[in-house]
Amino acid sequence: MPPKIHRDLPVEQPPGYAEFIKDLVSFSTERGTPLDLQARVNGKHIDLFKLWNVVSVRGGYDIISHEKLAWRRVGQEFNLGTNNAAAYAFALKTVYYKNLAAYEIKTLHKREPPPREILEDITAKGGDLLNRTVDNFRPPPMRPTVANGADSDASGGEDSKTPKDEKMEVDEPGSGGGRISRGLRQAPPQRVLFQPDVSSSRQTRHPSTHLHSSPQPAATAAVASSHPPTSNPSSMPVSLANYEPRPQMPLTLRGVVTPGNNPSLFKERQRLAREAKSAQHGKPPGGTKGMMKPGGEYPLTLPRRIGLTRQAGFDGPNIYVRTLQGLRSPIPAEQDYALHHLVKISHERGDKYKFDAFPNLAESLIEYVLGVSSLFYDVKWEISYTEEPLGIHVLDGVNGTPDILERIKRLNRIDTFDELEPKELAHKVTKIHEAGLTIRNLSLLEDNAKYLSTLPQLRDFLTIALNLPPSPLVTELKHYALDIAEQVTRAWSMDASDPLYRSLLHQVDEGLDRGAILTSLRALSRISMNLEESNLLREVPISVITRICDWLLLEDEELVHACLDFLYQYTAVPENVAFLLANSNILPIPSFLVQLTRLLQYHAQETFTEYLISPAVPPMAATEIPAVPLDLLEQFLKYDEPDRSNHWLKAVFEEDSDSEITQIALWQAYQTRFSEFTTPQTPLLPAAEFIKNVSTIFAGANAQVVNGPNSKFIIKGIRQRHAPMDLKDRVYSPCHWTLPGTNPCGQFFLKPKDMFDHIASVHLGIPRTKEGAWNLNPNSLPPEEERPVDCYWANCRRFSRQNSTPKPSPFDIGMHVKTHLPDTSEKAALRQKHNRTPATKTLVPCDPSLNNTATVVEPDPDNPEGREAKYGQQIWHNTATDERGEAAGLPLTAVLVLRNLARNIPKAAACLQETADYHTRRKMSFLAHGEEGGEKEGWMEKLFGPLKVRLAFVLAHNRSLGKHVADLMGWVDQGWES
């Protein structure tokens, strides 16, 4: 039936509401289910759009239904009330179930919803809608429900619980109804049977309705256990008199499935009932002819198995045993079944499937996958476990087959299909790949890898697989073989004549497949890893080393890492290093070492750390209020009060929460400064108003009274400045010229030029000409005994320290004084950047007579304002680290290869000196001593000398590699000494 659409929708619709309702109506119409857009719970309208958003955000119907009390929390979003919350939550769940459950399955989970007969047409109890089908659905057992729906629950975790009876105390405390005394007992009360209310659940509006409604079970039981009924209302228990029944909820009606209204579901239930009844009498269910079922009869047409009789009477083998027996069976269909499931098991449950728990599983897989040779050669490999296997096609299963490579070369090739493959061939290749993939997946487990390493025939298989002719048919199988080799070579010891070792080197030497080369390098690097023997990697062809050196230049981190792992194992043997040195005319060893050094900074991250250059110096407290320079005073006099006093306060005071000044001292300083400029038109501010303005100018300042024997009136929160500040917040600089036995000059100047003019004219006594230039004529200068003989800026005394002779002239002193003045030019920052001596310090040259070196002396004067701490920055170029903070990745492996070379080059050189022939010695001599007439150089200096600067940089800037590079440089120094 089409859904009934109500027109009283909300006036203000949220975004997406109209599209959602339209889509929902269309879905319900197509499905043929009713849609109630005006659903109500507890008299409140339920907005389906809001309900959909709330439930979908929480994960959907199934997730909420499986979480305890989750539907109650959903009901809180709609303010349904706390009384009878379980019934309201179930009613809300039913609204969603009837209207939105199928829509959720279709739109949110992208699945086909189950038929309406097992969804909308039944109760909303339970969950698991996504997996509900006609075959697996079992309706919940029918049980009587009460009118208020108390047996319904709002959560899927509580639908099987039985509601507990509520206890109701009907006896007054101390009444005779209790069984406290040991006297006579009263007659037992009559049992009042519960009569459910079958009338309409809708409450009428007349006030006497509650007098005729039937009591609830809990209330009835309580009344039955109390005193006999009485007509006296005053004698009723208080709890019974105050009892109010719960609000009634509509009955949950479940439709009965009949052949008329739902024939398919009725038929299915009848079938299930018949099967259950037959199972109780020991009869197998029908419809399974030709199948062997555990515990029952199996058809005679199937071949009998060992241990099985006509009446099996056992639970049957699990899938693991079944696949093992199927693989060992000679029946192709059983083998196909076993391989198909072994691939799935090895992928999904490989951690539970161990070779040692299933004897002959690994051996059977190896025997099967050896059949790949029959695709290219006229051979069928057999494995013999006797001491003397006979025939070229028989492999030694006890000790392995050392001449397997020679046997492969003697095999006869057969024609293969290069383009079109017959169906039988494609099927056989697929099954061989499945067997190889199973071994590969299971070998990833450590226990399985150990088991495989004990099988000699596995080495033969790996050698055969790696030496198959190049063909797309077996490319995937070769990768499986290399993956297996990577896992098991760690438990094998291989010499230079080992067939598998030579096959792996051949893959690196002539292979073009990156994946095959990468896995081959890893397999070679892991040889003997779990053994006490070392991985010697003897007789590696020079072409392999050349290719590996070339691959180090690629931007392929995975391949470079595999190459470095191989080189780390290779260079750990002095004989291998001697081989490199002997072939240095072929191998680009210097460029190879340069590339290794570059890799020390692979993906280095630039970071910065600060270090303290000079600590902070706290400001010194000023002892007196600074005098206002004349130019600044002229600017103050242009203003009337109170602006004039406000500017003066800002110029000579600053905020400081820990400082204070007496009000009388502040007032007297103000009077002293401006009393001479007072006129009847510009009088001074009254004291009270002036003190009040201080708090206006400085927000943190306030007038206070310090009580005591002599009370003080202070201004808390301000202090005197060391130097005044002008109206543009520029701070004046004081003159620090201090003659012996006198105080500093103390005059303030804003510009360095004005400061220099003051020093030259006042302290040095240099006059000016009529044109305004400095008159340096000796006759115009003060007498020599009146002229200063040194720089008296603070405690500089530069000329006295240098024992200058003759005495410095005023010109010399004036030029030197300029170095003390602040640099305010545009190039000040640039000059300071390239100045080795900070601007606040003075360089004292060395004195040969005192036999001292140049030192830097900090001038004493000044900084009364204090200094902030100065910090420098250290730049780091750190590379990758592991979770413990230790070096890791390509940089670590590169430095370990360099360390091996530095440690073994002296040994290798000595080895070459003893065993080299004439041509080798001549070549080696050329490398060791350079060209004719050149300077002698050792191996270490020739190879590692150009790397010293880069290694020093890494040592200084790479904290993660620091100790490894230090170890490397130590070996380099030892090699130079030797």
Side-chain angles (χ1 to χ4, degrees):
M1 58 179 294
K4 181 180 179 181
I5 303 177
H6 295 266
R7 299 303 179 184
D8 51 345
L9 297 177
V11 178
E12 297 182 359
Q13 299 176 354
Y17 180 88
E19 293 81 3
F20 172 81
I21 295 299
K22 182 179 179 181
D23 191 20
L24 182 60
V25 170
S26 175
F27 176 83
S28 299
T29 304
E30 181 181 355
R31 185 171 172 81
T33 55
L35 177 63
D36 187 8
L37 296 177
Q38 291 296 321
R40 293 182 178 274
V41 175
N42 194 22
K44 296 184 178 181
H45 171 255
I46 302 300
D47 185 0
L48 296 184
F49 181 65
K50 179 180 178 181
L51 181 60
W52 165 262
N53 290 333
V54 172
V55 174
S56 59
V57 167
R58 295 173 181 259
Y61 180 92
D62 283 350
I63 293 179
I64 296 178
S65 297
H66 283 84
E67 184 181 353
K68 191 173 183 179
L69 304 180
W71 281 106
R72 296 192 188 185
R73 290 189 287 272
V74 174
Q76 293 175 1
E77 301 284 341
F78 296 86
N79 299 321
L80 299 180
T82 57
N83 294 332
N84 207 6
Y88 295 151
F90 183 79
L92 182 64
K93 177 182 178 182
T94 302
V95 171
Y96 187 92
Y97 181 86
K98 298 291 186 182
N99 297 282
L100 297 171
Y103 182 78
E104 174 193 325
I105 298 173
K106 183 69 174 179
T107 59
L108 186 60
H109 303 289
K110 308 300 182 184
R111 297 188 183 182
E112 197 64 26
R116 59 175 292 184
E117 291 79 6
I118 60 173
L119 190 61
E120 290 92 342
D121 293 346
I122 61 176
T123 179
K125 282 191 176 182
D128 201 17
L129 300 184
L130 295 178
N131 298 321
R132 181 180 296 183
T133 62
V134 176
D135 296 332
N136 65 15
F137 177 70
R138 299 291 181 271
M142 303 292 290
R143 65 177 183 180
T145 58
V146 295
N148 62 352
D151 66 330
S152 300
D153 194 88
S155 177
E158 299 178 353
D159 52 14
S160 60
K161 296 181 180 179
T162 303
K164 298 180 180 180
D165 293 334
E166 298 179 2
K167 295 182 179 180
M168 182 178 292
E169 297 293 337
V170 296
D171 294 334
E172 294 290 341
S175 63
R179 300 190 178 186
I180 302 176
S181 65
R182 298 174 57 88
L184 297 177
R185 300 179 179 176
Q186 297 179 0
Q190 282 187 330
R191 299 293 181 184
V192 180
L193 298 179
F194 169 68
Q195 298 293 334
D197 184 10
V198 296
S199 61
S200 174
S201 61
R202 179 175 298 176
Q203 298 181 3
T204 57
R205 297 185 179 274
H206 53 81
S208 60
T209 302
H210 67 280
L211 298 177
H212 303 285
S213 61
S214 60
Q216 299 297 321
T220 306
V223 174
S225 62
S226 63
H227 294 288
T230 176
S231 60
N232 186 7
S234 62
S235 63
M236 288 186 178
V238 177
S239 58
L240 183 60
N242 295 333
Y243 172 73
E244 293 184 3
R246 294 182 178 179
Q248 297 181 352
M249 297 295 294
L251 289 173
T252 302
L253 301 179
R254 298 185 178 93
V256 178
V257 178
T258 65
N261 60 14
N262 197 341
S264 59
L265 183 58
F266 180 82
K267 181 179 180 181
E268 178 65 20
R269 289 183 178 179
Q270 291 296 318
R271 182 185 66 80
L272 295 175
R274 288 194 300 270
E275 290 181 359
K277 188 174 182 180
S278 300
Q280 293 177 358
H281 293 82
K283 297 181 180 180
T288 57
K289 295 181 180 181
M291 293 178 60
M292 181 182 70
K293 285 192 170 291
E297 296 184 0
Y298 56 86
L300 294 176
T301 55
L302 294 178
R304 291 187 176 272
R305 313 265 180 165
I306 298 176
L308 296 181
T309 60
R310 183 174 181 82
Q311 285 291 339
F314 74 111
D315 294 336
N318 56 31
I319 187 64
Y320 303 109
V321 177
R322 174 70 190 281
T323 54
L324 174 60
Q325 300 299 331
L327 182 63
R328 299 175 61 184
S329 170
I331 303 174
E334 290 291 328
Q335 293 179 346
D336 295 347
Y337 170 86
L339 291 172
H340 172 74
H341 285 84
L342 279 172
V343 171
K344 296 180 61 177
I345 293 172
S346 65
H347 176 68
E348 299 173 358
R349 300 300 303 274
D351 56 333
K352 304 295 183 183
Y353 209 33
K354 298 183 179 180
F355 285 131
D356 54 2
F358 298 91
N360 295 324
L361 174 60
E363 292 84 347
S364 300
L365 288 170
I366 294 173
E367 290 179 9
Y368 190 93
V369 79
L370 281 173
V372 68
S373 296
S374 62
L375 301 177
F376 303 94
Y377 302 103
D378 185 15
V379 66
K380 182 179 180 181
W381 296 108
E382 297 179 4
I383 300 176
S384 173
Y385 296 95
T386 61
E387 294 183 358
E388 296 181 359
L390 301 176
I392 191 175
H393 65 286
V394 181
L395 304 177
D396 189 351
V398 178
N399 301 314
T401 310
D403 60 341
I404 185 65
L405 291 178
E406 288 71 17
R407 294 190 186 190
I408 294 175
K409 292 179 181 179
R410 296 201 302 267
L411 295 178
N412 296 323
R413 283 290 302 270
I414 62 175
D415 295 334
T416 56
F417 296 90
D418 296 333
E419 297 179 358
L420 298 178
E421 301 175 5
K423 182 178 180 180
E424 295 77 9
L425 176 62
H427 178 76
K428 184 176 181 180
V429 172
T430 300
K431 293 306 171 182
I432 291 174
H433 283 164
E434 289 180 351
L437 179 57
T438 302
I439 302 175
R440 181 262 181 195
N441 289 344
L442 294 178
S443 67
L444 298 179
L445 189 64
E446 185 67 23
D447 294 340
N448 288 338
K450 291 180 180 178
Y451 183 88
L452 289 173
S453 64
T454 62
L455 302 179
Q457 60 267 38
L458 180 65
R459 276 203 196 195
D460 297 338
F461 157 66
L462 296 178
T463 305
I464 292 171
L466 295 180
N467 288 276
L468 289 172
S471 173
L473 294 176
V474 293
T475 301
E476 188 175 354
L477 183 63
K478 287 185 178 181
H479 283 283
Y480 296 158
L482 290 172
D483 289 340
I484 298 169
E486 182 181 353
Q487 300 300 321
V488 297
T489 53
R490 65 183 69 187
W492 287 341
S493 177
M494 298 183 183
D495 56 15
S497 61
D498 190 280
L500 180 58
Y501 176 75
R502 293 163 58 187
S503 300
L504 292 172
L505 286 177
H506 179 75
Q507 292 291 324
V508 179
D509 191 9
E510 299 184 6
L512 300 177
D513 188 335
R514 173 188 175 276
I517 294 173
L518 188 63
T519 314
S520 300
L521 287 172
R522 289 174 176 169
L524 290 168
S525 303
R526 297 186 181 190
I527 295 175
S528 305
M529 183 179 291
N530 294 347
L531 303 178
E532 294 182 359
E533 303 178 21
S534 300
N535 184 9
L536 300 180
L537 292 176
R538 294 293 178 83
E539 298 185 15
V540 177
I542 192 65
S543 57
V544 172
I545 303 298
T546 303
R547 297 192 80 185
I548 290 177
C549 293
D550 294 340
W551 291 333
L552 290 178
L553 301 173
L554 300 177
E555 290 294 333
D556 188 338
E557 182 174 356
E558 196 173 10
L559 180 58
V560 172
H561 203 296
C563 293
L564 289 176
D565 285 341
F566 178 86
L567 289 173
Y568 172 71
Q569 299 290 339
Y570 184 79
T571 56
V573 181
E575 290 78 6
N576 293 339
V577 179
F579 178 77
L580 295 179
L581 298 181
N583 293 276
S584 57
N585 60 332
I586 301 175
L587 291 172
I589 296 181
S591 60
F592 163 64
L593 294 180
V594 170
Q595 178 61 16
L596 287 177
T597 311
R598 289 197 189 104
L599 290 176
L600 298 181
Q601 291 297 99
Y602 182 78
H603 283 182
Q605 298 293 328
E606 187 177 71
T607 58
F608 302 89
T609 57
E610 290 187 345
Y611 61 92
L612 182 65
I613 296 178
S614 60
V617 177
M620 297 182 299
T623 57
E624 58 184 12
I625 300 174
V628 178
L630 183 60
D631 58 336
L632 183 58
L633 180 61
E634 292 176 352
Q635 297 180 39
F636 290 163
L637 295 177
K638 295 178 182 179
Y639 296 91
D640 296 331
E641 294 293 351
D643 294 336
R644 182 177 63 181
S645 60
N646 292 346
H647 289 308
W648 177 75
L649 287 172
K650 291 180 181 179
V652 297
F653 290 94
E654 61 182 349
E655 288 194 28
D656 184 4
S657 58
D658 298 329
S659 301
E660 62 184 40
I661 186 173
T662 61
Q663 297 181 15
I664 186 64
L666 183 61
W667 168 250
Q668 289 176 353
Y670 168 65
Q671 280 188 318
T672 303
R673 179 70 276 176
F674 295 104
S675 59
E676 59 179 306
F677 304 105
T678 303
T679 63
Q681 290 76 21
T682 58
L684 296 177
L685 284 177
E689 186 176 351
F690 174 76
I691 297 301
K692 183 179 179 181
N693 281 350
V694 176
S695 300
T696 305
I697 299 301
F698 303 102
N702 55 83
Q704 297 181 3
V705 178
V706 179
N707 295 321
N710 298 318
S711 299
K712 293 194 305 181
F713 295 86
I714 63 172
I715 301 293
K716 182 72 174 178
I718 61 173
R719 68 175 181 184
Q720 304 96 322
R721 291 182 180 273
H722 291 275
M725 184 175 65
D726 71 349
L727 301 181
K728 296 181 179 180
D729 296 337
R730 295 176 297 180
V731 180
Y732 283 74
S733 299
C735 176
H736 292 290
W737 193 270
T738 308
L739 294 175
T742 61
N743 295 326
C745 172
Q747 294 192 34
F748 296 99
F749 299 92
L750 188 61
K751 299 179 180 179
K753 182 179 181 304
D754 297 339
M755 177 78 75
F756 178 78
D757 293 346
H758 162 74
I759 295 174
S761 59
V762 176
H763 299 300
L764 298 181
I766 302 176
R768 289 181 179 271
T769 62
K770 295 181 180 180
E771 292 79 12
W774 297 109
N775 189 356
L776 298 176
N777 190 342
N779 298 326
S780 302
L781 296 175
E784 187 173 342
E785 59 274 7
E786 297 180 4
R787 288 184 287 178
V789 295
D790 205 344
C791 174
Y792 294 104
W793 184 274
N795 62 347
C796 174
R797 311 299 186 270
R798 176 180 183 276
F799 299 98
S800 299
R801 288 192 179 99
Q802 289 185 337
N803 295 326
S804 300
T805 54
K807 293 182 179 180
S809 65
F811 175 80
D812 297 332
I813 298 175
M815 292 297 99
H816 166 71
V817 165
K818 286 186 176 182
T819 62
H820 295 299
L821 304 182
D823 190 354
T824 59
S825 64
E826 296 179 356
K827 297 183 179 181
L830 183 62
R831 292 169 182 166
Q832 184 64 24
K833 177 180 178 181
H834 298 286
N835 189 5
R836 290 178 178 267
T837 304
T840 56
K841 298 182 180 181
T842 302
L843 181 66
V844 179
C846 60
D847 188 352
S849 62
L850 299 177
N851 194 23
N852 65 343
T853 57
T855 57
V856 176
V857 177
E858 181 87 25
D860 216 359
D862 147 82
N863 204 343
E865 296 288 341
R867 282 194 306 267
E868 295 182 356
K870 293 183 179 180
Y871 295 91
Q873 277 191 340
Q874 172 68 45
I875 304 176
W876 300 98
H877 299 273
N878 296 322
T879 50
T881 57
D882 57 14
E883 62 277 0
R884 298 174 299 174
E886 299 291 338
L890 294 183
L892 174 62
T893 317
V895 74
L896 293 180
V897 174
L898 288 170
R899 188 197 63 182
N900 284 349
L901 290 171
R903 183 168 53 186
N904 292 325
I905 280 179
K907 301 177 184 178
C911 180
L912 285 179
Q913 292 279 0
E914 298 174 357
T915 61
D917 55 14
Y918 172 76
H919 297 288
T920 304
R921 288 183 181 179
R922 182 178 180 184
K923 178 175 59 177
M924 182 179 146
S925 175
F926 169 75
L927 289 173
H929 306 298
E931 299 178 2
E932 294 184 5
E935 185 181 359
K936 283 190 175 183
E937 293 181 348
W939 280 106
M940 299 300 296
E941 188 173 358
K942 188 170 187 67
L943 296 179
F944 284 93
L947 310 178
K948 291 172 58 178
V949 175
R950 187 179 293 271
L951 292 177
F953 177 85
V954 177
L955 179 63
H957 294 86
N958 193 332
R959 284 189 288 190
S960 55
L961 277 184
K963 62 180 182 180
H964 300 284
V965 176
D967 188 22
L968 166 62
M969 298 186 73
W971 283 104
V972 171
D973 293 339
Q974 291 183 21
W976 277 333
E977 293 174 1
S978 62

